[in-house]
Amino acid sequence: MLEVKGLKVSYGGINAVKGIDLEVRAKEMVTLIGANGAGKTTTLKALAGLLKPAEGRVHYNGRDITGRPAFELVRQGLALVPEGRGVFARLTVKENLEMGAYSRGDRARIATDFDRVYALFPRLAERRRQMGGTLSGGEQQMLAIGRALMSRPNLLLLDEPSMGLAPLMVRRIFETVRAIAAEGVTLLLVEQNAKAALETCHRGYVMESGLIALADTAPELLNNPRVRQAYLGE
Amino acid sequence: MDIFLQQLVNGVVLGAIYALVALGYTMVYGILGLINFAHGEVVMIGAMVALTVIQLLLASGVPLPGPVVAAIGLAAAIPTCMLLGFAIERVAYRPLREAPRLAALITAIGMSIVLQNVAMIIWGRRYHSVPSLLPVTPHQFAGATITDLQIFIVLLAALIMAGLLYLVHRTRLGRAMRATSQNPEVAGLMGVNINTVISMTFIIGSALAAVAGLMVSAYYGVAHYVMGFMLGLKAFTAAVLGGIGNLGGAMLGGLLLGVIESLGAGYIGTLTGGFLGSHYQDVFAFTVLILVLVFRPSGLLGERVTERS
Ligand SMILES: Nc1ncnc2c1ncn2[C@@H]1O[C@H](COP(=O)(O)OP(=O)(O)OP(=O)(O)O)[C@@H](O)[C@H]1O
Ligand SMILES: [Mg+2]
């Protein structure tokens, strides 16, 4: 479903991603883990169309989408839940969700998707008239995920959804991620919480200073001594 | 005649015009963090285009009622200004979107000078008198007089502002505009083509400018190629007074500035023992600007001044 070859991304002169290959097959859950500054966010931004790659190709559903802008890709079912959530602070919860459906024209189905998101996150239903900025961190993450679901994605990229959340909320977010995958959405999950991510996903990539250092199935990576030492705190 | 009430009425009329222009500044600032100093010139072009069409119609001898002639003039000025606003953004600001702020600011001032000079070439350096097309019959109203033209200006401005608030707060485009002003990158992730939204912002602001241009030239009875300069500065002051980036703030700021200026002009002679006359009215706007910048830089309704890097 997603195929990345030789992707390089730089900020001005600084190379943040230095040529990576990556693949996500349909209905798969794949995680991308790595230390701070490894280039995970940069990779996701390039895949979602927020950054133009310096080199390399990105294919999505067989189509070359390299360098296509984000607003086009979301129409093709590729959505990103950005790092830091990116909730519109001065839009209500409902308006934030409406923004998620901005790329769609099918009004009737949008209404059912509202119900679906509110069922997944009852807290958002309670707060639908509140401004996004007044929500707690966990609620904002729910809103960011719910908003991305409103675009009816086939491929959902998630950038550190558990960042800065209390353990209970982290567990809820991972449960939600599994529930979304169970509905047939393909997932690429970037996480600092490597253990939870590898326990949730089928396969994983380990990124180190702009390159893919390891690629394997999640159980193998969980047993890999290098991974255990560097990312699982052993 | 009650001077206070009379100047209050005049101030509200002037304030309605300032508010329409201030909205253009504030909308662009809200979305790009840029002061579009060429906006005053868009107002002037609107006035000039409307006037030209009105003069042609009157010269053609076709017997049309005054208000219809004015409406046709406006119908020509609005799309012209929309196109101009669109072009200004495309040509002058879009290439500098990633450039340092100062570059865009200097470009804005340059754009303003270019437009003034183009207008000077087309319409000359002289003052053009604007024929009165609406009845200026004075109505007595609690000791003050108010003309049909004044009533019409206030009503039309109020209607337009209500329409704008509806657009921004109740429609899909408005939601996209608000989202883009809060976080353009995430708006893009939602499927918003932010270039389209930015263009629309300039186009809408310029349409308001066209209306304000005809209003102000009809109100004072003159149009001139530098008329946009002072009007632009005052509307900018109004936007800052209300809290730049805030639509309600621009409306409130415009109204307040109009009233302050009118009252000030009405009383300055008495207050200074005749030393300063009412032609010093421009002093008030800039006194207000300085006071706001010193004591409340975020304006009356502004939450905070955000310097986006
Ligand atoms: N806007 C930017 N301009 C310049 N350099 C940047 C920018 N954003 C990120 N970088 C640099 O690019 C490298 C990769 O950053 P990136 O944000 O992709 O890392 P990450 O793996 O997501 O890290 P984290 O776990 O902290 O989120 C880092 O060295 C970072 O300093
Ligand atoms: Mg990151």
Side-chain angles (χ1 to χ4, degrees), chain B residues 1-15 136-151 154 219 258-267 281:
Chain B
M1 191 175 72
D2 183 345
I3 291 199
F4 179 78
L5 199 65
Q6 185 63 55
Q7 291 305 91
L8 196 63
V9 167
N10 295 347
V12 168
V13 177
L14 196 58
V136 282
T137 353
H139 302 279
Q140 294 303 320
F141 161 75
T145 35
I146 184 162
T147 65
D148 285 346
L149 177 64
Q150 287 181 313
I151 295 173
V154 172
Y219 191 43
V259 169
I260 291 169
E261 217 179 79
S262 273
L263 288 178
Y267 286 105
Q281 80 174 60

Side-chain angles (χ1 to χ4, degrees), chain B residues 72-86:
Chain B
I72 296 174
L74 195 57
I78 290 174
T80 308
C81 287
M82 285 172 137
L83 198 66
L84 180 63
F86 172 81

Side-chain angles (χ1 to χ4, degrees), chain A residues 23-32 177-178 180-182 184-189 194-205 215-222:
Chain A
E23 192 193 354
V24 183
R25 288 184 286 265
K27 319 269 177 198
E28 227 182 356
M29 296 172 82
V30 176
T31 183
L32 180 62
V177 167
R178 269 181 232 116
I180 292 167
V185 179
T186 308
L187 289 174
L188 177 57
L189 172 68
K195 184 162 183 287
L198 288 171
E199 283 168 353
T200 303
C201 294
H202 305 124
R203 287 192 303 118
Y205 292 90
D216 214 330
T217 64
E220 287 297 326
L221 287 175
L222 275 170

Side-chain angles (χ1 to χ4, degrees), chain A residues 45 48 50 70-71 74-75 80 82 85-91 95-96 98-104 147, chain B residues 169-170 172-173 175-176 178-194 197 303-304:
Chain A
K45 281 187 167 185
L50 292 177
F71 73 88
V74 65
R75 286 187 173 77
L80 167 66
R85 298 154 197 140
V87 161
F88 297 114
R90 278 164 291 126
L91 255 50
E95 285 176 326
N96 267 278
E98 281 169 331
M99 282 311 297
Y102 184 83
S103 57
R104 300 170 53 191
R147 188 176 61 181
Chain B
H169 290 284
R170 292 279 178 274
R172 189 174 115 100
L173 172 64
R175 208 155 47 231
R178 284 181 292 143
T180 304
S181 84
Q182 291 176 36
N183 191 335
E185 190 171 80
V186 177
L189 286 175
M190 304 293 110
V192 177
N193 182 344
I194 63 167
V197 167
E303 293 140 43
R304 68 215 137 93

Side-chain angles (χ1 to χ4, degrees), chain B residues 54 57-58 64-75 132-135 152 214:
Chain B
I54 287 167
L57 277 173
L58 293 179
L64 288 171
V68 174
V69 174
I72 296 174
L74 195 57
S132 44
L133 297 167
L134 290 190
F152 184 73
L214 179 56

Side-chain angles (χ1 to χ4, degrees), chain B residues 26 43 66 104 119 171-172 176 202 246 252 268 308:
Chain B
T26 233
V43 177
T171 67
R172 189 174 115 100
F202 275 82
N246 183 310
L252 179 67
I268 191 170
R308 275 193 253 152

Side-chain angles (χ1 to χ4, degrees), chain B:
Chain B
M1 191 175 72
D2 183 345
I3 291 199
F4 179 78
L5 199 65
Q6 185 63 55
Q7 291 305 91
L8 196 63
V9 167
N10 295 347
V12 168
V13 177
L14 196 58
I17 299 172
Y18 287 163
L20 284 183
V21 183
L23 283 166
Y25 281 98
T26 233
M27 285 167 66
V28 166
Y29 184 86
I31 230 154
L32 283 183
L34 166 87
I35 312 287
N36 174 18
F37 275 114
H39 190 60
E41 271 55 56
V42 179
V43 177
M44 175 271 293
I45 301 270
M48 289 300 193
V49 169
L51 176 64
T52 305
V53 170
I54 287 167
Q55 283 170 339
L56 286 174
L57 277 173
L58 293 179
S60 75
V62 185
L64 288 171
V68 174
V69 174
I72 296 174
L74 195 57
I78 290 174
T80 308
C81 287
M82 285 172 137
L83 198 66
L84 180 63
F86 172 81
I88 289 173
E89 191 270 327
R90 284 304 289 264
V91 173
Y93 301 142
R94 191 170 299 184
L96 295 174
R97 189 98 41 89
E98 311 298 326
R101 286 297 208 59
L102 193 58
L105 192 68
I106 293 168
T107 305
I109 294 169
M111 198 68 220
S112 160
I113 295 171
V114 167
L115 289 174
Q116 270 184 31
N117 281 278
V118 168
M120 187 185 73
I121 292 166
I122 300 177
W123 287 287
R125 305 174 66 95
R126 65 188 182 87
Y127 286 84
H128 298 261
S129 73
V130 179
S132 44
L133 297 167
L134 290 190
V136 282
T137 353
H139 302 279
Q140 294 303 320
F141 161 75
T145 35
I146 184 162
T147 65
D148 285 346
L149 177 64
Q150 287 181 313
I151 295 173
F152 184 73
I153 287 176
V154 172
L155 288 183
L156 181 60
L159 194 71
I160 289 173
M161 289 190 257
L164 183 71
L165 285 178
Y166 179 84
L167 173 85
V168 170
H169 290 284
R170 292 279 178 274
T171 67
R172 189 174 115 100
L173 172 64
R175 208 155 47 231
M177 289 169 77
R178 284 181 292 143
T180 304
S181 84
Q182 291 176 36
N183 191 335
E185 190 171 80
V186 177
L189 286 175
M190 304 293 110
V192 177
N193 182 344
I194 63 167
N195 283 330
T196 307
V197 167
I198 290 168
S199 289
M200 286 308 295
T201 305
F202 275 82
I203 288 171
I204 294 166
S206 301
L208 303 194
V211 179
L214 179 56
M215 282 178 175
V216 76
S217 61
Y219 191 43
Y220 288 125
V222 289
H224 185 233
Y225 77 101
V226 292
M227 66 184 277
F229 177 72
M230 189 57 85
L231 181 61
L233 274 183
K234 287 184 182 172
F236 168 66
T237 302
V240 172
L241 171 61
I244 192 145
N246 183 310
L247 292 186
M251 297 176 189
L252 179 67
L255 209 59
L256 276 179
L257 191 70
V259 169
I260 291 169
E261 217 179 79
S262 273
L263 288 178
Y267 286 105
I268 191 170
T270 338
L271 290 179
T272 60
F275 180 64
L276 297 176
S278 62
H279 49 278
Y280 277 90
Q281 80 174 60
D282 293 348
V283 163
F284 297 102
F286 302 111
T287 309
V288 166
L289 180 60
I290 291 165
L291 291 178
V292 173
L293 290 178
V294 171
F295 293 107
R296 199 178 158 84
S298 59
L300 296 174
L301 303 185
E303 293 140 43
R304 68 215 137 93
V305 181
T306 38
E307 261 301 313
R308 275 193 253 152
S309 54

Side-chain angles (χ1 to χ4, degrees), chain A residues 64-132:
Chain A
D64 188 344
I65 59 159
T66 319
R68 303 310 306 167
F71 73 88
E72 262 181 48
L73 297 179
V74 65
R75 286 187 173 77
Q76 299 177 29
L78 196 166
L80 167 66
V81 177
E83 185 175 61
R85 298 154 197 140
V87 161
F88 297 114
R90 278 164 291 126
L91 255 50
T92 64
V93 167
K94 179 161 179 276
E95 285 176 326
N96 267 278
L97 294 175
E98 281 169 331
M99 282 311 297
Y102 184 83
S103 57
R104 300 170 53 191
D106 46 344
R107 285 175 159 269
R109 302 255 309 279
I110 291 173
T112 44
D113 284 342
F114 261 106
D115 296 340
R116 193 174 138 230
V117 169
Y118 285 148
L120 193 59
F121 302 114
R123 194 70 73 81
L124 295 183
E126 286 164 28
R127 315 212 159 201
R128 70 182 84 188
R129 289 187 205 295
Q130 252 172 263
M131 288 293 158

